[in-house]
Amino acid sequence: MYLMRLGEAGSEKPVVRIDDTHYVDVSDVVTDFNEAFFGAGDMTRLQGVVNERSAAGNVKAFAGERIGAPIARPHQILCIGLNYSDHAAETGQAVPEEPILFTKSPNTLIGPNDEVRIPRGSTKPDWEVELGIVIGKRTSYLDSIEEAREAIAGFVVVNDVSERAFQIERGGQWSKGKSAETFNPAGPWLVTPDEIDDVLNLGMWLDVNGIRRQDGSTSTMIFDPYFIVHYLSQFLVLEPGDLINTGTPPGVGMGFKPQIWLQPGDVMELGIEGLGSQRQPVLAPR
């Protein structure tokens, strides 16, 4: 299934995408795609509702509604740094022996086509197309990779927007450069694992003002999604609906010579094969 949330920010309704033009409204059977939904393990029941309504022609046409993030605000957004071998190379850093973990404030989450705002004092705002993992059940101390597979509700496109000066030059944790408002566009939909042939072989791309900046593949991940979920479960409890950003391929602004930073008026467009695409205008600080 392809889970979506449509409507104005704070008032989104849950729907299931059928194709490019139509969806099934499930807001009468699902309050939201949130912790309660994922934790209840309601995917099978929801699939039955969608199949029944689709077969009966009980579908609606997309009509230009705002697309929200496909999940409600999670307990936590966890992020893996330097998780692509070719991205580590462009930054001049060694390939990590274990996943580098940092957090991102959950209130950074926005829709895939919402505006991204540069924060006050920013000098080095940057972009990062990433594969996001959504957790499907409360999980800790997983014993195997297979258990990690079963803990994943689905995958989503994420733009891990960053402020490199805050992240690298201001001391402390990377979270400083990752947690400004609007810094985590997600969507347009959450794709359940059964819809993806091979999550480790998906093309990824990102353009700024129509110029291709990132052109990569999940195949160059150092730590794959299943390893990441298993690994993180040894250190913390993963809650239903939590989001994990799994790293970015090369082509970030920081990696160019000379470096390239986002400016007000820029437009980022990005996507991952099979998971949809995003488009964000960039705004000046407020």
Side-chain angles (χ1 to χ4, degrees):
M1 288 186 291
Y2 296 76
L3 310 187
M4 300 182 69
R5 296 167 70 246
L6 303 180
E8 294 307 307
S11 301
E12 297 94 342
K13 68 178 181 180
V15 308
V16 176
R17 174 185 179 271
I18 300 301
D19 53 35
D20 288 344
T21 57
H22 291 86
Y23 66 88
V24 171
D25 186 342
V26 294
S27 59
D28 59 326
V29 294
V30 175
T31 302
D32 205 350
F33 295 137
N34 54 16
E35 177 189 7
F37 168 76
F38 292 113
D42 279 349
M43 285 289 193
T44 301
R45 183 174 72 91
L46 181 64
Q47 182 71 75
V49 171
V50 171
N51 291 346
E52 180 181 329
R53 292 182 179 182
S54 181
N58 186 10
V59 300
K60 296 185 178 182
F62 290 107
E65 303 96 331
R66 171 186 173 271
I67 301 174
I71 59 172
R73 183 185 296 184
H75 282 274
Q76 55 191 345
I77 299 177
L78 303 168
C79 306
I80 306 299
L82 296 177
N83 193 33
Y84 282 70
S85 55
D86 36 11
H87 173 54
E90 78 169 340
T91 65
Q93 301 183 68
V95 171
E97 295 182 5
E98 294 190 46
I100 296 171
L101 172 65
F102 61 94
T103 62
K104 195 162 193 169
S105 177
N107 64 8
T108 59
L109 188 70
I110 60 171
N113 303 317
D114 290 346
E115 297 164 327
V116 165
R117 187 177 293 279
I118 295 172
R120 292 183 188 179
S122 170
T123 57
K124 298 180 179 180
D126 205 349
W127 56 82
E128 295 188 18
V129 59
E130 303 201 4
L131 175 73
I133 302 168
V134 176
I135 297 298
K137 59 183 179 181
R138 197 170 195 268
T139 294
S140 63
Y141 299 119
L142 292 172
D143 290 326
S144 67
I145 296 298
E146 189 56 39
E147 284 187 347
R149 288 178 181 270
E150 294 171 0
I152 295 174
F155 300 95
V156 62
V157 181
V158 169
N159 188 355
D160 179 21
V161 186
S162 308
E163 212 298 332
R164 302 302 188 185
F166 294 178
Q167 176 187 353
I168 299 169
E169 301 168 18
R170 299 293 296 273
Q173 300 296 316
W174 285 9
S175 300
K176 284 186 190 175
K178 299 286 187 171
S179 293
E181 60 179 336
T182 74
F183 264 28
N184 207 100
W189 43 74
L190 179 153
V191 182
T192 54
D194 59 293
E195 299 281 2
I196 302 172
D197 290 335
D198 185 1
V199 77
L200 300 180
N201 190 30
L202 302 178
M204 313 169 70
W205 58 273
L206 184 144
D207 296 347
V208 180
N209 301 329
I211 300 172
R212 182 61 44 94
R213 296 301 187 187
Q214 291 188 270
D215 190 1
S217 169
T218 57
S219 64
T220 66
M221 272 187 173
I222 300 165
F223 306 107
D224 69 46
Y226 313 113
F227 179 91
I228 288 169
V229 171
H230 176 267
Y231 180 86
L232 292 181
S233 78
Q234 309 307 311
F235 300 95
L236 48 84
V237 177
L238 301 172
E239 300 284 0
D242 279 355
L243 176 63
I244 304 171
N245 298 341
T246 61
T248 196
V252 298
M254 179 174 63
F256 284 90
K257 297 181 180 179
Q259 294 173 325
I260 304 170
W261 308 117
L262 291 169
Q263 304 294 327
D266 286 348
V267 175
M268 294 180 284
E269 296 175 278
L270 58 144
I272 298 178
E273 180 184 354
L275 303 186
S277 60
Q278 306 182 353
R279 183 182 188 277
Q280 297 115 29
V282 178
L283 302 181
R286 62 181 175 86

